[in-house]
């Protein structure tokens, strides 16, 4: 059994995880199903804090149950297997929106009737690493088992010990996932797995130092960062090579480039800045976490040991630099304070006059009370500056649009951060697609990447959950197409099996 290099703070043997995100594919059906795995991270709204807390360092070292708890936190299992705001940890029922329909997370408490209480450790391992439950049914890649496939045996054992002995059983069923035909054919994932699922467990690279090896395990496998930060091809498979960690569209949000490139990636961040951001989600003059990243920091990253955070940074520093085409300046270096006068600040926003407001008027009456008229935020940084802000200066306007629509909620570093959204169900002021576009364009031109322009159609796309993947468009037309897809699946599986037999 391979041992993971120990963290400098906590000598853990290895880590593990259990949360949904993204994917790959072989057939149209399997391809379409794999887009569902991206749904967890593409949730428009930041999730509320789940009732979790990191175990004491000494307990993690000595108690396999407590070590399993730490691994589950590092893997952010609670994010998808707990309904936001619920106190029923790991009871499932969280609705993951996908282009194919809603996928509900399962109850993974030790309930024998509704959860995994009857699972053997081998069955638990098969679900986490192979995507097959105790009934022999294939899981959708909303459960990121392709990343978890590399988890070590020791980590699987610790996770199993925690979920069976450290989690309170919840005697309630999670809603059943009912995707339309042909996406309800779970067996189609067999072809997807044959092409994309590896059975190789993590093995330390003897030519690299221990902190790099642990960082790689945490980033690539346990925290499955590539599932969000790596673009996908036409079949929704993760692109390899130079595309790894170069940034990707994630539903309504855009996961940025996190390679070592000094302009497009994190090469211009210091180690301390990266550590502060991963622990708090807030870094003056650079970035504030929102959407899926805010959730990851709230429920997972802030609870990691300083040693693990250090190792993550060591590994990220080693990622080959990948430049985003057309980007000549770091996202955090864009923009300057506005010298606009706050003449219209305080103008009542009424249903019959908001549509006629300019971008400046919208900003002064919806944003300036927190971010200030000049866009510099408050002196203490509690309300962040829009100048030198990655959401405003990035190469894509999607995060700015999504932030305006859905707001920000983050609970990290001992601080609760809340920005109200101006989208559906807004408690402050609901803005139309045209109004959001007008506001976004003003913010971009005044404080950020002035080369970008937002249209009402762009806002509508973000509002509905992001661009529809090609495979969803191709696979959705009608039942006749589903039948064709099913035939293709069978033929591909037969061909794959025959090819593998010939190669052995």
């Amino acid at each position: 059994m391979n041992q993971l290099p120990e963290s400098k703070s906590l000598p853990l043997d290895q880590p593990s995880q259990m949360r949904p995100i993204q994917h790959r594919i072989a057939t149209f059906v399997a391809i379409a199903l794999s887009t569902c795995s991206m749904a967890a991270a593409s949730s428009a709204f930041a999730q509320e804090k789940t009732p979790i807390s990191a175990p004491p360092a000494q307990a993690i070292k000595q108690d396999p149950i407590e070590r399993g708890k730490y691994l589950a936190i590092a893997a952010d299992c609670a994010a998808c297997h707990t309904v936001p705001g619920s106190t029923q940890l790991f009871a499932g029922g969280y609705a993951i929106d996908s282009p194919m329909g809603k996928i509900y997370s399962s109850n993974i408490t030790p309930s024998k009737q509704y959860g995994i209480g009857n699972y053997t450790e081998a069955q638990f391992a098969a679900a986490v690493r192979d995507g097959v439950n105790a009934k022999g049914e294939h899981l959708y890649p909303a459960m990121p088992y392709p990343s978890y496939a590399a988890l070590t045996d020791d980590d699987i054992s610790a996770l199993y010990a925690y979920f069976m002995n450290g989690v309170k059983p919840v005697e309630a069923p999670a809603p059943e996932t009912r995707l339309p035909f042909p996406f309800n054919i779970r067996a189609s994932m067999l072809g997807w797995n044959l092409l994309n699922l590896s059975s190789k467990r993590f093995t330390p690279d003897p030519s690299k130092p221990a902190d790099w090896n642990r960082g790689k395990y945490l980033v690539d496998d346990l925290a499955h960062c590539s599932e969000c930060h790596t673009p996908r091809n036409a079949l929704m498979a993760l692109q390899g090579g130079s595309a790894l960690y170069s940034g990707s569209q994630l539903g309504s949000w855009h996961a940025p480039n996190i390679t070592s490139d000094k302009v497009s990636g994190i090469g211009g961040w210091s180690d301390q800045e990266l550590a502060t951001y991963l622990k708090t989600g807030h870094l003056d003059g650079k970035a504030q976490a929102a959407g899926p990243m805010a959730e990851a920091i709230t429920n997972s990253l802030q609870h990691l040991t300083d040693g693990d955070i250090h190792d993550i940074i060591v590994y990220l520093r080693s990622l080959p630099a990948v430049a985003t085409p057309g980007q000549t300046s770091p996202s955090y270096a864009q923009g300057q304070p506005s010298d606009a006068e706050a003449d219209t600040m305080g103008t009542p926003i009424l249903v019959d006059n908001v549509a006629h407001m300019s971008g400046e008027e919208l900003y002064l009456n919806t944003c300036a009370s927190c971010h200030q008229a000049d866009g510099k935020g408050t002196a203490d940084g509690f309300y962040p500056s829009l100048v030198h802000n990655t959401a405003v200066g990035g190469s894509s306007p999607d995060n700015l649009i999504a932030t305006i629509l859905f707001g920000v909620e983050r609970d990290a570093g001992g601080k609760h951060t809340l920005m109200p959204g101006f989208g559906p169900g807004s408690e402050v002021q609901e803005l139309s697609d045209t109004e959001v576009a007008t506001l976004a364009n003003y913010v971009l031109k005044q404080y950020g990447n002035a080369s970008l322009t937002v249209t009402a159609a762009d806002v509508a796309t973000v509002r509905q959950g992001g661009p529809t993947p090609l495979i969803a468009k191709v696979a959705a037309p009608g039942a006749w197409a589903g039948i064709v897809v099913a035939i293709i699946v069978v033929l591909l599986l037969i061909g794959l099996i025959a090819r593998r037999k010939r190669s052995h």
Side-chain angles (χ1 to χ4, degrees), residues 78-89:
C80 290
H81 289 279
T82 306
V83 174
S86 170
T87 59
Q88 294 187 312
L89 194 62

Side-chain angles (χ1 to χ4, degrees), residues 364-389:
L364 290 174
N365 286 278
T366 59
C367 311
S369 60
C370 294
H371 298 290
Q372 307 303 300
D374 59 5
K376 292 174 64 176
T378 54
D380 62 0
F382 184 81
Y383 294 111
S385 171
L386 299 179
V387 181
H388 296 175
N389 185 312

Side-chain angles (χ1 to χ4, degrees), residues 206-388:
S207 69
K208 300 288 187 179
D211 54 3
W212 183 93
N213 275 295
R214 182 166 179 77
K216 176 178 173 59
Y217 184 71
L218 289 167
V219 172
D220 288 354
D221 308 322
L222 186 59
H224 53 281
C225 302
S226 63
E227 299 285 356
C228 292
H229 290 277
T230 297
R232 301 178 180 279
N233 59 28
L235 300 183
M236 293 308 295
L238 287 175
Q239 296 180 25
S242 62
L244 191 64
Y245 294 111
S246 64
S248 177
Q249 187 66 35
L250 201 62
S252 297
W253 302 85
H254 178 79
N257 182 328
I258 56 172
T259 70
S260 59
D261 190 87
K262 292 185 176 181
V263 173
S264 302
I266 59 170
W269 296 50
S270 70
D271 287 358
Q272 184 56 56
E273 287 175 330
L274 287 169
T276 298
Y277 180 75
L278 292 175
K279 280 288 193 176
T280 69
H282 176 92
L283 187 64
D284 288 334
K286 274 195 168 64
Q288 289 76 42
M293 191 62 186
E295 172 272 313
I297 289 172
T298 294
N299 295 317
S300 178
L301 292 171
Q302 70 165 320
H303 300 292
L304 297 188
T305 67
D306 291 343
D308 279 347
I309 292 294
H310 168 271
D311 295 347
I312 286 173
I313 294 170
V314 168
Y315 178 66
L316 291 177
R317 290 286 190 213
S318 75
L319 294 175
V322 179
T324 300
Q327 186 172 0
T328 58
S329 176
S331 299
Y332 58 79
Q334 298 274 13
Q336 59 186 2
S338 170
D339 58 1
E341 296 293 333
D343 294 334
T344 62
M345 194 168 179
T347 300
I349 298 182
L350 304 174
V351 174
D352 59 353
N353 76 352
V354 66
H356 303 292
M357 284 186 168
S358 66
E360 180 182 350
E361 291 170 331
L362 284 169
Y363 175 80
L364 290 174
N365 286 278
T366 59
C367 311
S369 60
C370 294
H371 298 290
Q372 307 303 300
D374 59 5
K376 292 174 64 176
T378 54
D380 62 0
F382 184 81
Y383 294 111
S385 171
L386 299 179
V387 181
H388 296 175

